Amino acid sequence: INGGFEKFGQLAYRASMTLLVAPKNYTRANSMNTAIGYSSNIIAPAVAGILYPIIGLGGIFSIKLALMAIALCILVLLQIPQPIEGRRQRAECRRQGSKGIINRLGIFWSEVTFGIRYLWQSPGLRSLLIITTLFWSALNVSETIYDPMILARTNGSSQALGAVSTIAGFGGIAGAIAISIWGGFRCNVRGMLVGFGLVGIVKTVFGLGQSLFIWLPVQFCSSLNFPLIESSETALWMAAIPAKVQGRVFAAHFLVYDLISMPVGLLAGILSDRFFEPAMNSPSLLQFVFSPIFGKSAGAGIAMLYVLSAITMLLVGIFGFRISQLYAIEKDK
């Protein structure tokens, strides 16, 4: 239920940004939004950790509700422009109302599938959908096994995991501030693809590392790139899709990603537990060939899968430069 309402909010929020921000500032605005997310990931857990022993879970929920009430009051006071949406389909639905439920269902189904059809009929948006889904799916593999890899490599140290997660937040904030000031690449496609490649390279180094000495600076560098990726990609979607249809098209985009990311995440867990870890922790061809790189201890197999996902991200970024339809998105604006 919570996830469903979050999707509604994300769709409305992204579509509203298009109406509030000039196209030339899409990248900056999205980068500032990324900074807010990273900041809350650093500050909120620390504050909750301090308050929990004092006021308990009930007190923390009371603070959460109070903050939500303040946010809602601000939202009510804001003047967000609304897109000029044609009434043709709604009028058609009313006209068809007397002709039976079949016609009404047909119109409803046309509305539901509009986003998918809109994306697929545009070569540029179709290419953007495919290339971004490939990247984020590969990233989802690495994110799924990220915590288990660190815990396995450090004998279950929650302090090590917390340190790496915290430095990731600081890296994300630094990257978001830099993009907000700089404004990003003039070509958002290039900015997105460069970010893909850099993340692939840095995460490969992260997977090869086996201690905080490597992980901390590398994780900081990795998180630096995500504001560039997210702001460039979101700016492309926002600029390429008319405001009046963004809700339906963004919903289709999220749907495609969710349908692919869920099984990919499950597959990552199965592969790490059932194949890579046993193969690297016991005598096998995989251990013989790759143990000089990843070692033989707990987490070696997970690290190998992590590096494979990172290399996939790098290849997606390199391959993206050869897709001319991506560049056509900005040329057509």
Side-chain angles (χ1 to χ4, degrees), residues 233-293:
E233 181 191 341
T234 305
L236 280 171
W237 288 110
M238 291 169 64
I241 303 169
K244 64 181 181 180
V245 299
Q246 281 189 4
R248 286 172 288 176
V249 177
F250 288 160
H253 174 212
F254 289 162
L255 174 64
V256 171
Y257 171 71
D258 287 342
L259 288 176
I260 295 176
S261 65
M262 287 187 293
V264 164
L266 290 172
L267 182 62
I270 294 171
L271 286 175
S272 62
D273 283 353
R274 302 292 185 181
F275 178 72
F276 285 97
E277 273 295 286
M280 291 298 291
N281 296 153
S282 58
S284 65
L285 178 61
L286 210 63
Q287 185 193 67
F288 176 77
V289 175
F290 293 102
S291 60
I293 302 174

Side-chain angles (χ1 to χ4, degrees), residues 291-312:
S291 60
I293 302 174
F294 298 101
K296 302 178 182 179
S297 61
I302 303 177
M304 185 176 180
L305 180 57
Y306 189 95
V307 169
L308 288 174
S309 68
I311 293 173
T312 302

Side-chain angles (χ1 to χ4, degrees), residues 6 10-11 16 18 36 92 100 120 163 166 176 189 204 207 210 222 244-245 260 286 291 293 311 317 328 331:
E6 281 184 353
Q10 289 171 6
L11 291 170
S16 297
T18 307
I36 293 170
E92 178 66 18
W120 207 251
T166 301
V189 172
T204 299
Q210 300 185 33
S222 175
K244 64 181 181 180
V245 299
I260 295 176
L286 210 63
S291 60
I293 302 174
I311 293 173
K331 290 179 182 177

Side-chain angles (χ1 to χ4, degrees), residues 9-333:
Q10 289 171 6
L11 291 170
Y13 182 79
R14 184 179 289 190
S16 297
M17 285 184 65
T18 307
L19 300 166
L20 289 167
V21 180
K24 66 179 181 179
N25 291 320
Y26 283 165
T27 303
R28 280 192 172 96
N30 285 299
S31 182
M32 291 171 65
N33 187 48
T34 304
I36 293 170
Y38 277 113
S39 299
S40 65
N41 288 339
I42 295 174
I43 298 171
V47 173
I50 295 171
L51 293 178
Y52 180 74
I54 302 172
I55 61 177
L57 188 60
I60 290 176
F61 267 114
S62 299
I63 293 174
K64 178 184 176 76
L65 290 171
L67 293 173
M68 184 180 68
I70 294 171
L72 288 173
C73 290
I74 295 172
L75 186 61
V76 169
L77 296 174
L78 286 178
Q79 295 296 321
I80 301 176
Q82 298 300 306
I84 301 173
E85 178 66 67
R87 306 295 181 182
R88 182 182 60 83
Q89 288 181 323
R90 293 181 183 176
E92 178 66 18
C93 184
R94 287 193 295 268
R95 285 195 297 271
Q96 296 288 341
S98 60
K99 296 185 179 180
I101 192 170
I102 300 299
N103 288 328
R104 293 199 298 272
L105 287 175
I107 294 172
F108 175 75
W109 180 248
S110 177
E111 286 285 284
V112 169
T113 59
F114 174 85
I116 293 291
R117 289 185 284 110
Y118 188 96
L119 287 174
W120 207 251
Q121 288 168 3
S122 168
L125 292 178
R126 183 170 65 241
S127 299
L128 180 61
L129 176 66
I130 292 172
I131 202 78
T132 54
T133 300
L134 288 173
F135 172 80
W136 292 109
S137 296
L139 179 69
N140 192 42
V141 172
S142 67
E143 292 299 305
T144 300
I145 58 178
Y146 173 84
D147 290 1
M149 181 182 72
I150 295 174
L151 291 172
R153 290 291 207 186
T154 59
N155 196 29
S157 172
S158 59
Q159 290 85 0
L161 180 59
V164 177
S165 300
T166 301
I167 202 69
F170 284 112
I173 292 174
I177 293 173
I179 297 297
S180 298
I181 297 172
W182 167 38
F185 286 79
R186 294 183 63 183
C187 175
N188 284 312
V189 172
R190 186 172 291 112
M192 179 185 71
L193 296 176
V194 167
F196 285 178
L198 290 175
V199 167
I201 293 171
V202 175
K203 283 190 172 293
T204 299
V205 178
F206 187 93
L208 294 174
Q210 300 185 33
S211 67
L212 288 176
F213 179 76
I214 301 293
W215 289 335
L216 291 179
V218 172
Q219 182 60 66
F220 182 87
C221 294
S222 175
S223 297
L224 275 175
N225 296 290
F226 281 98
L228 173 62
I229 293 172
E230 294 173 6
S231 59
S232 298
E233 181 191 341
T234 305
L236 280 171
W237 288 110
M238 291 169 64
I241 303 169
K244 64 181 181 180
V245 299
Q246 281 189 4
R248 286 172 288 176
V249 177
F250 288 160
H253 174 212
F254 289 162
L255 174 64
V256 171
Y257 171 71
D258 287 342
L259 288 176
I260 295 176
S261 65
M262 287 187 293
V264 164
L266 290 172
L267 182 62
I270 294 171
L271 286 175
S272 62
D273 283 353
R274 302 292 185 181
F275 178 72
F276 285 97
E277 273 295 286
M280 291 298 291
N281 296 153
S282 58
S284 65
L285 178 61
L286 210 63
Q287 185 193 67
F288 176 77
V289 175
F290 293 102
S291 60
I293 302 174
F294 298 101
K296 302 178 182 179
S297 61
I302 303 177
M304 185 176 180
L305 180 57
Y306 189 95
V307 169
L308 288 174
S309 68
I311 293 173
T312 302
M313 295 178 221
L314 173 60
L315 294 176
V316 168
I318 294 172
F319 178 71
F321 280 102
R322 303 181 62 86
I323 303 177
S324 59
Q325 291 92 335
L326 288 176
Y327 296 94
I329 296 174
E330 292 189 292
K331 290 179 182 177
D332 293 341
K333 289 191 296 184

